[in-house]
Amino acid sequence: MAKPRLLPREEALRLGPPQWRHACHVLLYAPCPDRLFGKIPLRFAVLMQMRFDGRLGFPGGFVDPQDASLEDGLNRELREELGPGVSFLRVTERDHVSAHASETVVAHFYAKRISLEELRTIEDRATHAKDHGLEAMGLVRVPLYTLRDGVGGLPAFLSNTFISCARDQLVHALETFDLVPREHLQKAVAVAQKRL
């Protein structure tokens, strides 16, 4: 399978049916002042989910023909996968980060900063979502730290199996939004690549 190719949003939008389908996913994150074991600063809480196929990915899914826009499709998918906890949330075109085309799917990636209280509400209510236990097996926070052994935390997390380009999207977002210091991120990626 060919590596997904990065496209500008405008070019990605020109790819349409019947050959192409669009999927939209979002990284939700919030500043987090908490410390692991009272010592390790967490800095941010970043949500991903365990999918029905055992892979990690971001909440979202395919845009349906009846959706008025990519963002309408994404917001519909968020309600289905995350439930009543996202009633306050509206992902917009301004939150669009990237688009990747591979084979017959254009994967649009978004990132949205929310408050820690809002993120916790999403986590608390996700089990009431229509797709919980079906398409979405549960939410997980990404550990943005590296433990003293050099493997635990983010390096181990990045060693998991991700759907499509979700790992690359995660790493790109962590760097772009300065959620992990660049040097720490580069080390975590290098350790994870050795483990894959």
Side-chain angles (χ1 to χ4, degrees), residues 2-50:
K3 183 171 173 75
R5 85 191 140 98
L6 184 63
L7 298 174
R9 179 183 168 96
E10 299 73 30
E11 185 179 339
L13 289 173
R14 288 194 292 268
L15 302 175
Q19 182 181 352
W20 295 93
R21 289 190 69 194
H22 291 260
C24 298
H25 297 86
V26 64
L27 176 145
L28 299 172
Y29 70 100
C32 182
D34 298 340
R35 292 179 170 268
L36 179 65
F37 308 125
K39 297 177 183 179
I40 302 168
L42 300 182
R43 298 191 62 211
F44 292 92
V46 173
L47 290 183
M48 291 191 79
Q49 67 184 10
M50 179 61 67

Side-chain angles (χ1 to χ4, degrees), residues 146-158:
T146 301
L147 297 178
R148 274 190 266 168
D149 66 1
V151 176
L154 186 57
F157 187 85
L158 293 173

Side-chain angles (χ1 to χ4, degrees), residues 10-139:
E10 299 73 30
E11 185 179 339
L13 289 173
R14 288 194 292 268
L15 302 175
Q19 182 181 352
W20 295 93
R21 289 190 69 194
H22 291 260
C24 298
H25 297 86
V26 64
L27 176 145
L28 299 172
Y29 70 100
C32 182
D34 298 340
R35 292 179 170 268
L36 179 65
F37 308 125
K39 297 177 183 179
I40 302 168
L42 300 182
R43 298 191 62 211
F44 292 92
V46 173
L47 290 183
M48 291 191 79
Q49 67 184 10
M50 179 61 67
R51 296 164 33 93
F52 65 94
D53 57 9
R55 296 178 181 138
L56 290 166
F58 294 101
F62 282 106
V63 176
D64 290 341
Q66 67 269 22
D67 294 320
S69 68
L70 295 175
E71 293 75 26
D72 283 347
L74 174 55
N75 287 299
R76 175 188 48 74
E77 282 285 342
L78 293 178
R79 288 188 302 273
E80 291 172 6
E81 293 183 2
L82 301 179
V86 294
S87 60
F88 71 91
L89 184 68
R90 179 85 185 139
V91 178
T92 68
E93 185 178 333
R94 285 188 314 245
D95 302 312
H96 192 270
V97 175
S98 63
H100 288 84
S102 62
E103 297 179 20
T104 61
V105 175
V106 180
H108 297 270
F109 183 60
Y110 296 75
K112 185 144 187 100
R113 183 175 173 150
I114 57 179
S115 73
L116 187 57
E117 181 181 330
E118 291 168 330
L119 185 133
R120 287 179 173 148
T121 297
I122 291 170
E123 289 176 318
D124 289 344
R125 297 185 182 167
T127 58
H128 300 287
K130 173 184 151 208
D131 289 343
H132 181 75
L134 301 169
E135 288 184 36
M137 304 310 285
L139 291 173

